[in-house]
């Protein structure tokens, strides 16, 4: 199962991704902060020490390439598996062989696991003792947040390394390598506008760029000098891929988080941008509409009491018409909520009340507030001395509503923003009234 050994196949028969793949750490593009000679991990690796690592980053950022480069750098036995294909039995066999190798030959075994987030808890538990005892040095690659996908025990024994998406400058370096291989500048087969569009289209993904370059160079290898593809030609040839998005992945959580925080931060431009990302990525519009309803109460509340009605109406409209037209409704609700005055006073009042309940437990309800629907309740004094506010000129009368033993600061403190300022003024007015007799 030693899949890291060099292939003797001719380069001409290999895909461009294999031909351009870096052979050592110094050739890896775009991860200088993490792997460069000045980084702590880079220095550690170059000194010959390899800890167990979890490599986390978007597709096409060099996670597998990094593992392959390690195989050329360390005097260790390398094993390569994909979590989709490997079960607990395979993991146990690899671990036991690693233990034998360590005890008999004092040789380390490095296990590279691609898509490690696909391992279930039981499979991760199989790896744990082998990693803990040093039988295996684990190098796992994942596009998902390890905090969500890997159990704490395994995660605590590994160092998490974050790979960033590649910049256009990084992608341009890959273009130079492809030009060197094909011995033809890219500007001879694409217009300048098409080259810029190609880099944007690659979206920080080296694999996508390299696959595109391979198609472009092969398609144009027989074309005459001076004949170049424009943006439309290139798009037709490559076929535009859908936006990277997975409703069960970390991107789902990141985008909805950025969306909600943009609405809360009163930035309609950013909010509608993230809305477009989610809709074009295939997110459930009902999920988005429900989150907007939550936000209308949590972050706007009584600063604009209409916000909850707008959000609920938005959900009803999306349920009625669906996509694509429902996206217009979501945009309307999003921009309205983003432009509303903000207050979380109602939300904080609930939190304050819950904390008070947790602290004071079940305090008795004052007698004058209790239900007096039965003769026994009346005999016990339930409802007696209750003062009906509507019987007083201002529609308000001073009386105690909280349990008698409860002394507390105000739980609801309205802000001076939006309609909530009116509420605050009304509460202050009541406090200034003389008690009615």
């Amino acid at each position: 199962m030693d899949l890291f050994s060099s292939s003797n196949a001719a380069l001409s028969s290999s895909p461009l991704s294999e031909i351009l793949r870096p052979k050592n750490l110094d050739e890896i593009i775009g991860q200088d902060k993490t792997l460069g000679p000045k980084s702590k991990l880079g220095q550690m690796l170059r000194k010959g020490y390899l800890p167990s690592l979890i490599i986390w980053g978007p597709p096409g950022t060099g996670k597998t390439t990094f593992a392959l480069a390690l195989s050329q750098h360390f005097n260790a036995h390398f094993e390569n598996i994909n979590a989709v294909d490997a079960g607990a039995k395979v993991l146990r066999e690899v671990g036991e062989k690693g233990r034998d190798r360590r005890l008999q030959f004092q040789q380390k075994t490095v296990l590279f696991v691609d898509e490690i987030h696909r391992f279930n808890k039981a499979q991760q538990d199989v790896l744990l003792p082998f990693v803990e005892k040093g039988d295996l040095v684990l190098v796992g690659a994942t596009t998902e947040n390890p905090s969500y996908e890997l159990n704490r025990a395994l995660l605590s024994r590994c160092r998490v390394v974050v790979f960033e998406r590649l910049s256009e400058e990084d992608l341009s370096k890959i273009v130079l390598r492809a030009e060197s291989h094909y011995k033809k500048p890219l500007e001879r087969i694409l217009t300048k506008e098409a080259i810029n569009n190609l880099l944007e289209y690659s979206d920080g993904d080296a694999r996508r760029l390299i696959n595109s370059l391979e198609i472009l160079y092969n398609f144009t290898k027989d074309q005459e000098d001076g004949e170049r593809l424009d943006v439309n030609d290139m798009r037709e040839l490559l076929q535009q891929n859908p936006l990277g998005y997975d409703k069960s992945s970390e991107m789902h959580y990141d985008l909805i988080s950025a969306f909600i925080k943009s609405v809360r931060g009163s930035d309609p431009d950013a909010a509608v941008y993230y809305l477009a990302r989610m809709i074009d990525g295939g997110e459930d519009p009902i999920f988005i509409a429900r989150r907007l309803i939550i936000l209308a109460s949590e972050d706007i509340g009584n600063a604009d009491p209409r916000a909850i009605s707008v959000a609920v109406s938005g959900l009803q409209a999306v349920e009625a018409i669906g996509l694509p037209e429902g996206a217009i409704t979501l945009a309307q609700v999003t921009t309205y909520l983003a432009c509303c005055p903000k207050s979380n006073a109602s939300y904080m009042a609930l939190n304050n009340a819950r904390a008070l309940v947790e602290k004071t437990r079940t305090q008795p309800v004052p007698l004058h507030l209790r239900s007096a629907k039965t003769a026994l309740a009346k005999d016990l004094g339930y409802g007696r001395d209750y003062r009906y506010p509507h019987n007083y000129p201002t529609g308000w009368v001073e009386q105690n509503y909280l349990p008698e033993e409860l002394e507390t600061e105000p739980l609801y403190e309205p802000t001076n923003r939006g309609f909530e300022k009116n509420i605050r003024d009304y509460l202050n007015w009541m406090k200034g009234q003389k008690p009615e007799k």
Side-chain angles (χ1 to χ4, degrees), residues 175 178-180 182-190 195 217:
V175 170
E179 290 176 333
S180 176
Y182 287 110
K183 297 180 173 57
K184 182 189 287 187
L186 189 59
E187 61 187 16
R188 284 176 55 187
I189 65 174
L190 295 179
I195 293 174
Y217 271 107

Side-chain angles (χ1 to χ4, degrees), residues 9 87 115 122 146 219 242-244 276 291 296 312 315 320 332 375 413:
E115 299 187 87
F219 180 80
L243 286 175
R291 289 305 303 263
V312 171
L315 172 63
Q332 178 190 352
E413 297 189 74

